[in-house]
Amino acid sequence: MSAVLNIEDGSVAQPAATPARRPETRTMSMIQALNSALDVMLERDPNVLIFGEDVGYFGGVFRCTEGLQQKYGADRVFDTPIAEGGIVATAIGMGVNGLRPVVEIQFADYIYPAFDQIASELSRLRYRSAGQFWSPVTIRTPCGGGIRGGQTHSQTPEALFAHVSGLKTVMPSNPYDAKGLLISAIEDDDPVVFFEPKRLYNGPFDGDPEQPVRSWDQHHKGQVPQGHYRVPLGQAATVRAGNDVSVLAYGTMVHVALAAAQQAGVDAEVIDVRTLMPLDVDTICNSVCRTGRCVIVHEATRHCGYGAELSAQVQERCFWNLEAPIERVTGWDTPYPHAQEWAYFPGQARVAQALRRALEG
Amino acid sequence: MSAKLHIPTAPCRPGDEPDFSAITLPAAGELARPDEMVAADTTRELSFSMIRVLDEQHQAVGPWSPALTPAALRDGLRHILLTRLYDDRMLRMQRQGKMSFYLKCTGEEAVSVAQCMALEDGDMLFPTYRQQALLVTRGYPLMDMMCQCLSNAGDRLQGRQMPVMYSSDVHKFFSISGNLGTQFSQAVGWAMAAEYRKTGDIAAAWVGEGTSAEADFHYALTFSAVYRAPVILNVVNNQWAISTSQNIAGGEQNPFAARAIGYGIPGLRVDGNDFLAVFAATRWAANRARAGGGPTLIELYTYRAAAHSTSDDPARYRPSDEWERWPLGDPITRLKQHLIARGEWSEAQHEQLQAELAETVQHAWQKAISLGTLNEGPRPPDAAMFEHVYKDLPPHLLEQRRQLEAMT
């Protein structure tokens, strides 16, 4: 069955019927799916270790590591001092000595003390030693707003990491992808920064804070195999096929984009980028060349945001097919505010507006 | 009375008489050598005073005197001498434009050589850029070191790094970063993995006293203490961080070794130009780490005799005769005199060894430059720059390599 599961088409969570035993799937939230990925990898590989702030006894402030210390022991799943730079540095050293550490940075907003270790050390170790030393560290970190977190619990700093050569950068938008991508990240011999949109932890969120919270139960991507499978790094997923305009989004914004397209009555093709580095340029540009229009959506600030790179890639490859200027819908170029959270968040209305502009252009 | 900030100054600057009045030296052999598994907080005197073995008559005295054979001491002397000759040669070659940069460890060679000899071959070394003597001691070929500095066709790092940023997985010598202190905390992780995997190996890491102010120093001490990692954390206090005196790093208050105690780690302060003392302290820490006692912080008190690098002129910030009058002397002279005092060495043998090693350096240099220098002869291919960014070449780098190749 793993062969079926290794092929991710982005729209069908249930594997095709097979004569032999089916992998058992169950409904999982993104938290449970991530926990399951960690569980699977701890089980399969004795070199996998998990550590970070509050991840051991307590199971993490978002519960992603719940029960893992009890199951695998404190020498494999443990708490660390509050020192993000120390956490990553320790992981680098362990990785050099044959282990495969998976660390949690409690909020992406707290990752900056570790930036030197990530951007100068982890990312370049293989390069500067011409392959003598390398460290397959996976850094998990919750990101994004919509939880009343203000400017230190809401940021999405993916562009800072996608900019660094030697790193891989991932952001899933649903439980199925989250588990499959995290397993791929852990198994990958290159370092991976794995952003988890925390507003999606417990359910899909389409950007409307007035709606009651939905769970993953009703979403087809909430059906997650219990065992091992991979969603490969470097492959985008077309989550909605369409003809009028291509929407490029990742993380929470995938759900916002889908809702906005519906609201605007636009036949949009929505692409979940999933892996920011390496980027699946082909899927993106094939779509844009076909629709001739492109709207890019992300939650982070606009200036030098990841959308700038997407826009440049599309312009270089699709220029002669473009019917309208490329649109970007992003967070404003301000810190993430507290009281004005929903005015900051690039919600459905702004995305719908951009979709209409793209179609008029 | 108003509060006033204190801005520490260097003890002396160009034109001043060298001033060593702040340095208090105990007599050799004065300090007790406790059992390796002693409680960290009982090492207060060891961290505030200074472990010294060689006395004024060049005899090894006191409980820290290590059981080193004359042959081992001669080996140590050989590695130190070879490092100094290598450094001298490479500096001259940099001045002749054969390479972009160089950096000597003159005056502090005993630190790396004695520490390396006190460790096992399987122990992992996390050096700074001033620990080239570790590689010399572990038998890394001089020619390979030279080729790295020359970024030539023989450079095992394929021209990726500035001169002196060596790396050798085979010799368990970690790739040198150039960003200061980052390896200190990484070494703790390496040691934790060694413990997890039960390999019996330990790690050793080095920073300069200036870098002890970096967060990584604190991370390393905290994490190694918390998890009792088998690691030796070394602060080479060579008095100068480029132009800045150790006083600016906080050395004016308490010795760097004394910081260990607050973390629950034993601290040892050692005469870094006393080969025997350095060996003994390191072996003590290694024994402790291997026995499950966790980390030790060692401050190696020494003097950076040469410039920071080829990019600065020390005559602009310190008295030029400070090194000649350094109260702890030259590690080569002290080890040589000790061997002579024991009847195991002579001036004639010393001169003969020096001549032989000079020949070795010259021979390696000729072989190295036959593979090119930075500006002449064969070099690593330009397209090699795209390899090892990732394990496998991703599409965007394949495309960029193709663009580069199309230009040439």
Side-chain angles (χ1 to χ4, degrees), chain A residues 46 49 75-76 78-81 83 85-87 89-90 92-94 96-99 113 116-117 120-121 123 125-133 164-168 189-190 277, chain B residues 124 156-158 160-161 167-169 173-177 179 182 185-186 188-194 196-197 216 219 222-223 226-227 384-392 394 396:
Chain A
L49 261 58
D75 58 338
R76 297 192 65 196
F78 55 89
D79 293 321
T80 62
I87 292 168
T90 302
I92 292 172
M94 286 182 173
V96 168
N97 201 0
L99 303 186
D116 188 36
Q117 286 287 349
S120 311
E121 299 291 319
S123 66
L125 184 53
R126 186 193 297 278
Y127 190 75
R128 76 177 198 222
S129 68
Q132 290 179 1
F133 297 105
V164 176
S165 54
L167 294 179
K168 293 181 177 175
D189 287 342
D190 292 315
M277 175 58 80
Chain B
M124 186 76 191
R156 292 179 183 277
L157 304 185
Q158 300 181 15
R160 302 265 167 75
Q161 286 261 57
S167 175
S168 179
D169 52 353
F173 180 98
F174 190 64
S175 157
I176 296 170
S177 168
N179 279 20
T182 49
S185 40
Q186 292 162 3
V188 176
W190 195 97
M192 288 170 71
Y196 176 79
R197 296 174 57 205
D216 281 296
Y219 300 152
T222 303
F223 279 63
V226 166
Y227 301 114
M385 81 169 88
F386 294 100
E387 285 160 30
H388 299 120
V389 181
Y390 296 93
K391 185 183 181 190
D392 302 310
H396 73 288

Side-chain angles (χ1 to χ4, degrees), chain A residues 20-358:
Chain A
R21 66 191 173 86
R22 297 164 62 96
E24 287 179 36
T25 67
R26 68 179 177 88
T27 304
M28 294 188 201
S29 69
M30 194 186 280
I31 291 167
Q32 291 166 326
L34 292 163
N35 183 280
S36 175
L38 297 170
D39 191 1
V40 164
M41 291 311 298
L42 283 164
E43 176 81 42
R44 285 169 71 99
D45 184 352
N47 290 324
V48 169
L49 261 58
I50 292 172
F51 51 99
E53 296 156 14
D54 299 300
V55 306
Y57 182 84
F58 182 54
V61 295
F62 291 104
R63 322 299 306 143
C64 287
T65 55
E66 187 172 19
L68 297 177
Q69 185 180 76
Q70 288 79 353
K71 188 169 176 184
Y72 295 99
D75 58 338
R76 297 192 65 196
V77 182
F78 55 89
D79 293 321
T80 62
I82 302 173
E84 293 76 15
I87 292 168
V88 173
T90 302
I92 292 172
M94 286 182 173
V96 168
N97 201 0
L99 303 186
R100 207 166 269 279
V102 184
V103 299
E104 177 177 303
I105 301 297
Q106 198 163 76
F107 284 84
D109 314 72
Y110 304 168
I111 206 166
Y112 306 116
F115 199 72
D116 188 36
Q117 286 287 349
I118 298 170
S120 311
E121 299 291 319
L122 181 60
S123 66
R124 294 193 219 141
L125 184 53
R126 186 193 297 278
Y127 190 75
R128 76 177 198 222
S129 68
Q132 290 179 1
F133 297 105
W134 51 280
S135 190
V137 175
T138 300
I139 300 169
R140 295 180 38 247
T141 189
C143 68
I147 63 153
R148 288 285 188 227
Q151 40 94 33
T152 54
H153 301 79
S154 306
Q155 293 168 71
T156 320
E158 74 278 8
L160 298 177
F161 297 88
H163 184 63
V164 176
S165 54
L167 294 179
K168 293 181 177 175
T169 313
V170 176
M171 194 189 300
S173 70
N174 60 71
Y176 180 91
D177 283 359
K179 178 172 174 179
L181 286 166
L182 182 56
I183 288 174
S184 292
I186 296 169
E187 291 180 342
D188 201 287
D189 287 342
D190 292 315
V192 181
V193 185
F194 193 92
F195 289 98
E196 302 169 1
K198 55 186 168 296
R199 183 66 209 228
L200 299 181
Y201 270 156
N202 290 306
F205 174 68
D206 65 8
D208 183 354
E210 304 304 322
Q211 293 292 317
V213 175
R214 288 185 294 150
S215 79
W216 283 106
D217 297 3
Q218 306 305 315
H219 196 283
H220 67 285
K221 289 289 189 179
Q223 291 299 311
V224 180
Q226 304 213 49
H228 176 274
Y229 67 95
R230 299 185 191 101
V231 172
L233 305 185
Q235 284 187 17
T238 304
V239 295
R240 185 190 188 282
N243 295 308
D244 291 349
V245 54
S246 302
V247 183
L248 313 181
Y250 47 87
T252 309
M253 292 303 127
V254 172
H255 304 276
V256 177
L258 286 167
Q262 191 173 18
Q263 187 196 85
V266 172
D267 185 21
E269 180 146 294
V270 179
I271 294 173
D272 181 353
V273 178
R274 299 200 295 198
T275 305
L276 311 189
M277 175 58 80
L279 177 64
D280 181 358
V281 178
D282 289 345
T283 297
I284 289 167
C285 291
N286 288 343
S287 173
V288 177
C289 285
R290 193 168 53 74
T291 62
R293 297 166 204 277
C294 181
V295 174
I296 297 163
V297 192
H298 62 64
E299 191 176 343
T301 46
R302 178 184 181 92
H303 191 85
C304 293
Y306 190 71
E309 177 63 27
L310 287 173
S311 176
Q313 297 267 0
V314 167
Q315 184 274 135
E316 285 165 13
R317 288 172 174 76
C318 310
F319 182 79
W320 303 106
N321 298 76
L322 285 174
E323 306 282 347
I326 300 165
E327 290 281 342
R328 278 187 290 163
V329 186
T330 69
W332 309 116
D333 283 337
T334 71
Y336 215 118
H338 185 243
Q340 304 89 345
E341 176 160 51
W342 298 114
Y344 176 91
F345 187 90
Q348 287 180 33
R350 285 177 58 203
V351 179
Q353 203 175 46
L355 288 170
R356 289 192 203 96
R357 273 201 306 271

